[in-house]
mmCIF file of all heavy atoms in Angstrom:
data_model
loop_
_atom_site.group_PDB
_atom_site.id
_atom_site.type_symbol
_atom_site.label_atom_id
_atom_site.label_comp_id
_atom_site.label_asym_id
_atom_site.label_seq_id
_atom_site.Cartn_x
_atom_site.Cartn_y
_atom_site.Cartn_z
ATOM 1 N N TYR A 1 14.823 2.320 30.001
ATOM 2 C CA TYR A 1 15.436 3.364 30.817
ATOM 3 C C TYR A 1 14.523 3.999 31.815
ATOM 4 O O TYR A 1 14.904 4.321 32.964
ATOM 5 C CB TYR A 1 16.015 4.471 29.837
ATOM 6 C CG TYR A 1 16.893 5.341 30.662
ATOM 7 C CD1 TYR A 1 18.306 4.999 30.840
ATOM 8 C CD2 TYR A 1 16.517 6.502 31.310
ATOM 9 C CE1 TYR A 1 19.168 5.791 31.598
ATOM 10 C CE2 TYR A 1 17.374 7.384 32.003
ATOM 11 C CZ TYR A 1 18.673 7.017 32.210
ATOM 12 O OH TYR A 1 19.568 7.731 32.925
ATOM 13 N N ARG A 2 13.234 4.024 31.508
ATOM 14 C CA ARG A 2 12.219 4.489 32.457
ATOM 15 C C ARG A 2 12.168 3.582 33.672
ATOM 16 O O ARG A 2 12.034 4.057 34.804
ATOM 17 C CB ARG A 2 10.871 4.558 31.732
ATOM 18 C CG ARG A 2 9.855 5.168 32.522
ATOM 19 C CD ARG A 2 8.450 5.201 31.686
ATOM 20 N NE ARG A 2 7.692 6.313 32.205
ATOM 21 C CZ ARG A 2 6.850 6.973 31.500
ATOM 22 N NH1 ARG A 2 6.680 6.734 30.306
ATOM 23 N NH2 ARG A 2 6.136 7.947 32.027
ATOM 24 N N GLN A 3 12.103 2.264 33.521
ATOM 25 C CA GLN A 3 12.202 1.269 34.611
ATOM 26 C C GLN A 3 13.410 1.513 35.424
ATOM 27 O O GLN A 3 13.411 1.627 36.669
ATOM 28 C CB GLN A 3 12.157 -0.132 34.060
ATOM 29 C CG GLN A 3 10.814 -0.670 33.579
ATOM 30 C CD GLN A 3 10.976 -2.004 33.017
ATOM 31 O OE1 GLN A 3 11.701 -2.267 32.146
ATOM 32 N NE2 GLN A 3 10.217 -2.999 33.570
ATOM 33 N N LEU A 4 14.615 1.534 34.766
ATOM 34 C CA LEU A 4 15.871 1.785 35.364
ATOM 35 C C LEU A 4 15.843 2.948 36.318
ATOM 36 O O LEU A 4 16.181 2.998 37.514
ATOM 37 C CB LEU A 4 17.050 1.905 34.343
ATOM 38 C CG LEU A 4 18.400 1.964 35.090
ATOM 39 C CD1 LEU A 4 18.853 0.697 35.630
ATOM 40 C CD2 LEU A 4 19.396 2.408 33.950
ATOM 41 N N ASP A 5 15.407 4.067 35.797
ATOM 42 C CA ASP A 5 15.278 5.476 36.561
ATOM 43 C C ASP A 5 14.365 5.285 37.688
ATOM 44 O O ASP A 5 14.677 5.681 38.822
ATOM 45 C CB ASP A 5 14.790 6.443 35.676
ATOM 46 C CG ASP A 5 14.822 7.831 36.285
ATOM 47 O OD1 ASP A 5 15.798 8.266 36.767
ATOM 48 O OD2 ASP A 5 13.727 8.425 36.258
ATOM 49 N N TYR A 6 13.231 4.632 37.456
ATOM 50 C CA TYR A 6 12.206 4.404 38.572
ATOM 51 C C TYR A 6 12.750 3.626 39.689
ATOM 52 O O TYR A 6 12.637 3.938 40.845
ATOM 53 C CB TYR A 6 10.945 3.919 37.960
ATOM 54 C CG TYR A 6 9.896 3.616 39.092
ATOM 55 C CD1 TYR A 6 9.205 4.718 39.612
ATOM 56 C CD2 TYR A 6 9.566 2.409 39.525
ATOM 57 C CE1 TYR A 6 8.152 4.582 40.564
ATOM 58 C CE2 TYR A 6 8.624 2.140 40.524
ATOM 59 C CZ TYR A 6 7.919 3.250 41.019
ATOM 60 O OH TYR A 6 6.951 3.035 41.987
ATOM 61 N N TRP A 7 13.370 2.533 39.389
ATOM 62 C CA TRP A 7 13.959 1.571 40.387
ATOM 63 C C TRP A 7 15.111 2.275 41.159
ATOM 64 O O TRP A 7 15.223 2.076 42.313
ATOM 65 C CB TRP A 7 14.464 0.245 39.632
ATOM 66 C CG TRP A 7 13.406 -0.569 39.081
ATOM 67 C CD1 TRP A 7 12.025 -0.365 39.086
ATOM 68 C CD2 TRP A 7 13.616 -1.712 38.315
ATOM 69 N NE1 TRP A 7 11.431 -1.367 38.486
ATOM 70 C CE2 TRP A 7 12.339 -2.192 37.885
ATOM 71 C CE3 TRP A 7 14.796 -2.293 37.809
ATOM 72 C CZ2 TRP A 7 12.163 -3.211 37.036
ATOM 73 C CZ3 TRP A 7 14.668 -3.477 36.988
ATOM 74 C CH2 TRP A 7 13.310 -3.948 36.725
ATOM 75 N N ALA A 8 15.866 3.087 40.463
ATOM 76 C CA ALA A 8 16.895 3.885 41.207
ATOM 77 C C ALA A 8 16.284 4.921 42.137
ATOM 78 O O ALA A 8 16.735 5.022 43.354
ATOM 79 C CB ALA A 8 17.939 4.527 40.174
ATOM 80 N N ARG A 9 15.268 5.560 41.693
ATOM 81 C CA ARG A 9 14.717 6.750 42.488
ATOM 82 C C ARG A 9 13.927 6.083 43.643
ATOM 83 O O ARG A 9 13.855 6.821 44.690
ATOM 84 C CB ARG A 9 13.720 7.532 41.567
ATOM 85 C CG ARG A 9 14.539 8.556 40.673
ATOM 86 C CD ARG A 9 13.685 9.505 39.976
ATOM 87 N NE ARG A 9 12.870 8.916 38.948
ATOM 88 C CZ ARG A 9 11.530 8.684 39.015
ATOM 89 N NH1 ARG A 9 10.817 9.120 40.044
ATOM 90 N NH2 ARG A 9 10.876 8.120 38.037
ATOM 91 N N THR A 10 13.411 4.915 43.531
ATOM 92 C CA THR A 10 12.639 4.303 44.535
ATOM 93 C C THR A 10 13.451 3.395 45.530
ATOM 94 O O THR A 10 12.996 2.980 46.475
ATOM 95 C CB THR A 10 11.434 3.452 44.044
ATOM 96 O OG1 THR A 10 11.938 2.466 43.258
ATOM 97 C CG2 THR A 10 10.460 4.380 43.254
ATOM 98 N N GLY A 11 14.704 3.261 45.153
ATOM 99 C CA GLY A 11 15.606 2.574 45.943
ATOM 100 C C GLY A 11 15.597 0.996 45.799
ATOM 101 O O GLY A 11 16.161 0.294 46.581
ATOM 102 N N LEU A 12 14.877 0.534 44.764
ATOM 103 C CA LEU A 12 14.892 -0.865 44.425
ATOM 104 C C LEU A 12 16.205 -1.391 44.078
ATOM 105 O O LEU A 12 16.666 -2.325 44.762
ATOM 106 C CB LEU A 12 13.836 -1.231 43.368
ATOM 107 C CG LEU A 12 13.702 -2.681 43.060
ATOM 108 C CD1 LEU A 12 13.227 -3.487 44.289
ATOM 109 C CD2 LEU A 12 12.676 -2.847 41.978
ATOM 110 N N VAL A 13 16.934 -0.814 43.121
ATOM 111 C CA VAL A 13 18.274 -1.121 42.738
ATOM 112 C C VAL A 13 18.906 0.147 42.423
ATOM 113 O O VAL A 13 18.651 0.826 41.386
ATOM 114 C CB VAL A 13 18.317 -2.039 41.493
ATOM 115 C CG1 VAL A 13 19.737 -2.370 41.230
ATOM 116 C CG2 VAL A 13 17.523 -3.295 41.688
ATOM 117 N N GLU A 14 19.778 0.634 43.385
ATOM 118 C CA GLU A 14 20.425 1.877 43.251
ATOM 119 C C GLU A 14 21.837 1.594 42.683
ATOM 120 O O GLU A 14 22.398 0.554 43.063
ATOM 121 C CB GLU A 14 20.488 2.549 44.574
ATOM 122 C CG GLU A 14 19.191 3.002 45.125
ATOM 123 C CD GLU A 14 19.301 3.671 46.452
ATOM 124 O OE1 GLU A 14 19.523 2.862 47.493
ATOM 125 O OE2 GLU A 14 19.175 4.827 46.678
ATOM 126 N N PRO A 15 22.418 2.454 41.819
ATOM 127 C CA PRO A 15 23.753 2.253 41.410
ATOM 128 C C PRO A 15 24.706 2.345 42.487
ATOM 129 O O PRO A 15 24.776 3.333 43.304
ATOM 130 C CB PRO A 15 23.948 3.370 40.328
ATOM 131 C CG PRO A 15 22.950 4.482 40.799
ATOM 132 C CD PRO A 15 21.818 3.706 41.367
ATOM 133 N N SER A 16 25.645 1.298 42.626
ATOM 134 C CA SER A 16 26.561 1.349 43.706
ATOM 135 C C SER A 16 27.888 2.111 43.393
ATOM 136 O O SER A 16 28.690 2.382 44.187
ATOM 137 C CB SER A 16 26.934 -0.077 44.149
ATOM 138 O OG SER A 16 27.457 -0.868 43.153
ATOM 139 N N VAL A 17 28.125 2.346 42.092
ATOM 140 C CA VAL A 17 29.368 2.936 41.697
ATOM 141 C C VAL A 17 29.187 4.532 41.831
ATOM 142 O O VAL A 17 30.046 5.190 42.460
ATOM 143 C CB VAL A 17 29.858 2.577 40.298
ATOM 144 C CG1 VAL A 17 30.996 3.426 39.900
ATOM 145 C CG2 VAL A 17 30.091 1.170 40.172
ATOM 146 N N ARG A 18 28.115 5.080 41.206
ATOM 147 C CA ARG A 18 27.909 6.519 41.254
ATOM 148 C C ARG A 18 26.447 6.806 41.107
ATOM 149 O O ARG A 18 25.896 6.569 40.077
ATOM 150 C CB ARG A 18 28.785 7.210 40.139
ATOM 151 C CG ARG A 18 28.604 8.731 40.397
ATOM 152 C CD ARG A 18 29.504 9.417 39.358
ATOM 153 N NE ARG A 18 29.174 9.138 37.960
ATOM 154 C CZ ARG A 18 30.062 9.085 36.854
ATOM 155 N NH1 ARG A 18 31.315 9.251 37.179
ATOM 156 N NH2 ARG A 18 29.604 8.890 35.663
ATOM 157 N N PRO A 19 25.770 7.311 42.149
ATOM 158 C CA PRO A 19 24.430 7.713 42.027
ATOM 159 C C PRO A 19 24.238 8.998 41.127
ATOM 160 O O PRO A 19 25.285 9.726 40.963
ATOM 161 C CB PRO A 19 23.907 7.893 43.426
ATOM 162 C CG PRO A 19 25.188 8.233 44.240
ATOM 163 C CD PRO A 19 26.320 7.505 43.493
ATOM 164 N N ALA A 20 23.125 9.374 40.839
ATOM 165 C CA ALA A 20 22.945 10.653 40.046
ATOM 166 C C ALA A 20 22.967 11.770 41.122
ATOM 167 O O ALA A 20 22.386 11.691 42.235
ATOM 168 C CB ALA A 20 21.530 10.546 39.371
ATOM 169 N N TYR A 21 23.640 12.843 40.718
ATOM 170 C CA TYR A 21 23.717 13.973 41.557
ATOM 171 C C TYR A 21 23.083 15.149 40.787
ATOM 172 O O TYR A 21 23.880 15.870 40.161
ATOM 173 C CB TYR A 21 25.167 14.336 41.957
ATOM 174 C CG TYR A 21 25.692 13.325 42.950
ATOM 175 C CD1 TYR A 21 26.659 12.422 42.644
ATOM 176 C CD2 TYR A 21 25.239 13.202 44.314
ATOM 177 C CE1 TYR A 21 27.284 11.568 43.457
ATOM 178 C CE2 TYR A 21 25.763 12.253 45.153
ATOM 179 C CZ TYR A 21 26.752 11.511 44.816
ATOM 180 O OH TYR A 21 27.248 10.505 45.639
ATOM 181 N N GLY A 22 21.834 15.394 40.760
ATOM 182 C CA GLY A 22 21.200 16.426 40.082
ATOM 183 C C GLY A 22 21.014 16.211 38.575
ATOM 184 O O GLY A 22 21.528 15.173 38.002
ATOM 185 N N SER A 23 20.674 17.264 37.858
ATOM 186 C CA SER A 23 20.297 17.101 36.484
ATOM 187 C C SER A 23 21.569 16.989 35.635
ATOM 188 O O SER A 23 22.633 17.715 35.943
ATOM 189 C CB SER A 23 19.587 18.390 36.016
ATOM 190 O OG SER A 23 19.264 18.442 34.697
ATOM 191 N N GLY A 24 21.469 16.002 34.702
ATOM 192 C CA GLY A 24 22.677 15.890 33.791
ATOM 193 C C GLY A 24 23.765 14.925 34.312
ATOM 194 O O GLY A 24 24.713 14.613 33.550
ATOM 195 N N SER A 25 23.774 14.463 35.583
ATOM 196 C CA SER A 25 24.733 13.577 35.981
ATOM 197 C C SER A 25 24.397 12.269 35.592
ATOM 198 O O SER A 25 23.252 11.823 35.307
ATOM 199 C CB SER A 25 24.930 13.672 37.503
ATOM 200 O OG SER A 25 23.748 13.216 38.183
ATOM 201 N N GLN A 26 25.394 11.402 35.412
ATOM 202 C CA GLN A 26 25.226 10.078 34.951
ATOM 203 C C GLN A 26 25.451 9.031 36.100
ATOM 204 O O GLN A 26 26.449 9.029 36.703
ATOM 205 C CB GLN A 26 26.335 9.724 33.803
ATOM 206 C CG GLN A 26 26.091 10.366 32.529
ATOM 207 C CD GLN A 26 24.986 9.751 31.625
ATOM 208 O OE1 GLN A 26 24.756 8.633 31.838
ATOM 209 N NE2 GLN A 26 24.276 10.574 30.864
ATOM 210 N N ARG A 27 24.521 8.175 36.181
ATOM 211 C CA ARG A 27 24.604 7.082 37.212
ATOM 212 C C ARG A 27 25.526 6.063 36.583
ATOM 213 O O ARG A 27 25.511 5.873 35.402
ATOM 214 C CB ARG A 27 23.193 6.374 37.408
ATOM 215 C CG ARG A 27 22.266 7.159 38.095
ATOM 216 C CD ARG A 27 20.988 6.341 38.387
ATOM 217 N NE ARG A 27 19.873 7.269 38.917
ATOM 218 C CZ ARG A 27 18.882 7.601 38.307
ATOM 219 N NH1 ARG A 27 18.672 7.324 37.036
ATOM 220 N NH2 ARG A 27 17.909 8.354 38.834
ATOM 221 N N LEU A 28 26.270 5.428 37.504
ATOM 222 C CA LEU A 28 27.147 4.288 37.021
ATOM 223 C C LEU A 28 26.751 3.058 37.832
ATOM 224 O O LEU A 28 26.797 3.112 39.130
ATOM 225 C CB LEU A 28 28.629 4.598 37.213
ATOM 226 C CG LEU A 28 29.366 5.413 36.125
ATOM 227 C CD1 LEU A 28 30.734 5.608 36.389
ATOM 228 C CD2 LEU A 28 29.113 4.792 34.749
ATOM 229 N N TYR A 29 26.503 1.914 37.145
ATOM 230 C CA TYR A 29 26.088 0.690 37.829
ATOM 231 C C TYR A 29 27.311 -0.267 37.835
ATOM 232 O O TYR A 29 28.029 -0.354 36.781
ATOM 233 C CB TYR A 29 24.933 0.077 37.078
ATOM 234 C CG TYR A 29 23.677 0.911 37.282
ATOM 235 C CD1 TYR A 29 23.382 1.906 36.430
ATOM 236 C CD2 TYR A 29 22.774 0.518 38.332
ATOM 237 C CE1 TYR A 29 22.234 2.698 36.656
ATOM 238 C CE2 TYR A 29 21.634 1.259 38.493
ATOM 239 C CZ TYR A 29 21.423 2.319 37.558
ATOM 240 O OH TYR A 29 20.236 3.041 37.838
ATOM 241 N N SER A 30 27.438 -0.936 38.905
ATOM 242 C CA SER A 30 28.647 -2.044 38.917
ATOM 243 C C SER A 30 28.067 -3.298 38.182
ATOM 244 O O SER A 30 26.868 -3.386 37.841
ATOM 245 C CB SER A 30 28.894 -2.370 40.324
ATOM 246 O OG SER A 30 27.751 -3.140 40.964
ATOM 247 N N PHE A 31 28.975 -4.173 38.000
ATOM 248 C CA PHE A 31 28.606 -5.488 37.333
ATOM 249 C C PHE A 31 27.522 -6.152 38.138
ATOM 250 O O PHE A 31 26.569 -6.645 37.654
ATOM 251 C CB PHE A 31 29.888 -6.374 37.212
ATOM 252 C CG PHE A 31 29.546 -7.757 36.676
ATOM 253 C CD1 PHE A 31 29.330 -8.012 35.338
ATOM 254 C CD2 PHE A 31 29.309 -8.797 37.503
ATOM 255 C CE1 PHE A 31 29.002 -9.175 34.829
ATOM 256 C CE2 PHE A 31 29.040 -10.049 37.036
ATOM 257 C CZ PHE A 31 28.884 -10.242 35.624
ATOM 258 N N ARG A 32 27.678 -6.226 39.524
ATOM 259 C CA ARG A 32 26.651 -6.942 40.369
ATOM 260 C C ARG A 32 25.327 -6.196 40.332
ATOM 261 O O ARG A 32 24.348 -6.836 40.265
ATOM 262 C CB ARG A 32 27.241 -6.856 41.830
ATOM 263 C CG ARG A 32 26.177 -7.555 42.794
ATOM 264 C CD ARG A 32 26.596 -7.472 44.165
ATOM 265 N NE ARG A 32 27.643 -8.364 44.375
ATOM 266 C CZ ARG A 32 27.707 -9.339 45.274
ATOM 267 N NH1 ARG A 32 26.705 -9.507 46.044
ATOM 268 N NH2 ARG A 32 28.758 -10.080 45.448
ATOM 269 N N ASP A 33 25.377 -4.888 40.223
ATOM 270 C CA ASP A 33 24.067 -4.092 40.017
ATOM 271 C C ASP A 33 23.386 -4.526 38.799
ATOM 272 O O ASP A 33 22.089 -4.723 38.850
ATOM 273 C CB ASP A 33 24.364 -2.568 39.865
ATOM 274 C CG ASP A 33 25.007 -1.915 41.121
ATOM 275 O OD1 ASP A 33 24.827 -2.525 42.215
ATOM 276 O OD2 ASP A 33 25.520 -0.820 40.879
ATOM 277 N N VAL A 34 24.130 -4.841 37.687
ATOM 278 C CA VAL A 34 23.522 -5.166 36.338
ATOM 279 C C VAL A 34 22.861 -6.612 36.543
ATOM 280 O O VAL A 34 21.801 -6.895 36.105
ATOM 281 C CB VAL A 34 24.478 -5.105 35.247
ATOM 282 C CG1 VAL A 34 23.856 -5.547 33.935
ATOM 283 C CG2 VAL A 34 24.990 -3.720 35.068
#
């Protein structure tokens, strides 16, 4: 999860369905993202 979070925060692989919006929000990744 640490890698996933880092890659999203640095823009390497960002979730295309729903990015995180502040504390407590859940990112959602598409099938292609995975």
Side-chain angles (χ1 to χ4, degrees):
Y1 192 82
R2 186 179 207 150
Q3 284 175 302
L4 181 73
D5 182 56
Y6 179 75
W7 294 352
R9 285 186 291 110
T10 60
L12 180 61
V13 182
E14 296 175 285
S16 63
V17 176
R18 184 173 65 213
Y21 292 110
S23 177
S25 66
Q26 290 281 330
R27 293 182 185 107
L28 278 183
Y29 291 85
S30 70
F31 176 81
R32 180 184 290 236
D33 295 338
V34 178

